[in-house]
Amino acid sequence: MKPQNILINFLAEAVGRLASRFRKADLSIFYEFTAPPHGGGNQFLYALRRQFQKRGFRVETNSIARTTRTCLFNSFNFDFDRLRRLARPGLRLVHRVDGPIGVYRGWDDGTDQRIWQINHDLADATIFQSQYSHNKHLELGLSFKSPAVIPNATDAAIFNPEGRAPFQRSRKIRLLSSSWSDNLNKGAPFYQGFEEVLDWDRFDYTFIGRSPIRFSKITMLEPLPSRELADQLRQHDIFVTASRNDPCSNSVIEAMACGLPCLYL
C-alpha cells in the first residue's frame, strides 16, 4: 500500500474513533452492503436492519459506538481488521454463518476454513441459517462458538400474498424460478432440461435473475428489486427451485411468503 493511502486510512480511523465517542447506537452490523438487487445474504441483512430500526433499535454499520452492546458480523463479507481493532470488552460479537461454501459452490478454495478461523478469533456466539448448514459444517470437522439456528426471514411489508393472482384452470399454469447467483449448482441445467419435457400448451415459465445458460422457451428477466420481484411472484402459481446444497435459500423463503407452493430438488 502506498504511504499516502496508509496515512489516509490512519486519519480516517482516528476520525472514526473520535466520532464514536459521541455517536449512540444499540447494535452494529459489520457487512459490506451492496445496493440491491443482490444476493440473498445482502437482501436478508437489509431487511434485518430495517426490522431492528422499526423496533426502535439504533443501528450502525461497520462502526462501534461507545453505547453499542452487540455486533453482528456476516460470514467473511466484512472488514475483519477493522472489527478486531474496534472490538472492546463488554461488546458481544455474533457471527452469522452460511454454507459450507465449498459444498455449495462445488469446490473448496479455503473459504470455509477462513470463516471458521474468524469465528474462533472473534465470536462469542454463532448463528446458522439452517440446521442443514450447522450439521454440514460438523461433518467437515468445523465446530463454531456457541451455535444456534435462526432461519432467515423476509420483509413482510414487501413479500406477502396480498393481491396475489388467483389460480384459474382456464389459463396456463405459471411457473417461476429466481436466482441471483449464476453458479450452475443454482439449478440452471435442470431448468434447461424442463424446456424439453414441459407441455407448453399447459405451462408458462419465467426465470428472474442471473443464469449461465440462456433458455430458449423459458422467459428470462433481469434481476429485480425486492418490490418488483414480489409483484412477479404474486402473479405466478408455483415456485420451482433446483438449487443444490443450499444452506437457506432466500428465493424460496420469498416465494413462500408470497403464497406460492414450492417444488424443490
Side-chain angles (χ1 to χ4, degrees), residues 164-165 167 173-177 233 236-241 251-264:
R164 182 183 170 201
F167 177 76
I173 298 171
R174 300 168 182 167
L175 309 178
L176 185 142
S177 298
L233 286 166
H236 287 77
D237 301 309
I238 300 171
F239 188 80
V240 180
T241 178
S251 61
V252 169
I253 295 170
E254 291 165 352
M256 294 179 70
C258 290
L260 276 70
C262 178
L263 300 179
Y264 62 95

Side-chain angles (χ1 to χ4, degrees), residues 197-217:
V197 298
L198 278 178
D199 181 351
W200 292 98
D201 290 329
R202 296 182 58 209
F203 294 94
D204 279 331
Y205 200 149
T206 302
F207 177 89
I208 300 175
R210 301 162 67 219
S211 170
I213 296 174
R214 301 302 300 178
F215 306 123
S216 59
K217 298 178 182 178

Side-chain angles (χ1 to χ4, degrees), residues 79-237:
D79 190 333
F80 171 81
D81 291 331
R82 177 175 173 80
L83 178 56
R84 184 170 57 181
R85 289 194 301 269
L86 294 179
R88 52 173 168 71
L91 177 70
R92 186 162 176 81
L93 298 170
V94 181
H95 192 185
R96 179 179 181 268
V97 176
D98 61 2
I101 292 176
V103 176
Y104 166 69
R105 289 178 176 171
W107 70 88
D108 183 8
D109 62 358
T111 301
D112 289 310
Q113 186 70 31
R114 179 185 171 203
I115 293 170
W116 175 87
Q117 190 62 59
I118 289 172
N119 184 269
H120 283 264
D121 287 347
L122 287 178
D124 296 303
T126 309
I127 293 174
F128 285 97
Q129 301 172 33
S130 64
Q131 193 64 51
Y132 160 81
S133 182
H134 184 208
N135 291 346
K136 204 67 179 178
H137 279 93
L138 292 177
E139 288 179 20
L140 297 176
L142 301 175
S143 60
F144 288 75
K145 295 279 195 72
S146 300
V149 175
I150 304 178
N152 288 357
T154 62
D155 187 336
I158 298 174
F159 294 99
N160 58 68
E162 295 179 14
R164 182 183 170 201
F167 177 76
Q168 297 177 354
R169 292 185 178 275
S170 59
R171 61 164 171 79
K172 291 183 180 181
I173 298 171
R174 300 168 182 167
L175 309 178
L176 185 142
S177 298
S178 67
S179 174
W180 167 259
S181 172
D182 58 6
N183 187 327
L184 283 172
N185 282 341
K186 275 294 188 178
F190 282 86
Y191 307 145
Q192 187 179 46
F194 295 158
E195 292 189 306
E196 303 305 317
V197 298
L198 278 178
D199 181 351
W200 292 98
D201 290 329
R202 296 182 58 209
F203 294 94
D204 279 331
Y205 200 149
T206 302
F207 177 89
I208 300 175
R210 301 162 67 219
S211 170
I213 296 174
R214 301 302 300 178
F215 306 123
S216 59
K217 298 178 182 178
I218 297 173
T219 300
M220 301 185 71
L221 301 178
E222 294 297 316
L224 296 174
S226 293
R227 292 188 183 278
E228 294 178 31
L229 175 60
D231 288 339
Q232 283 288 336
L233 286 166
R234 285 187 285 265
Q235 294 303 312
H236 287 77
D237 301 309

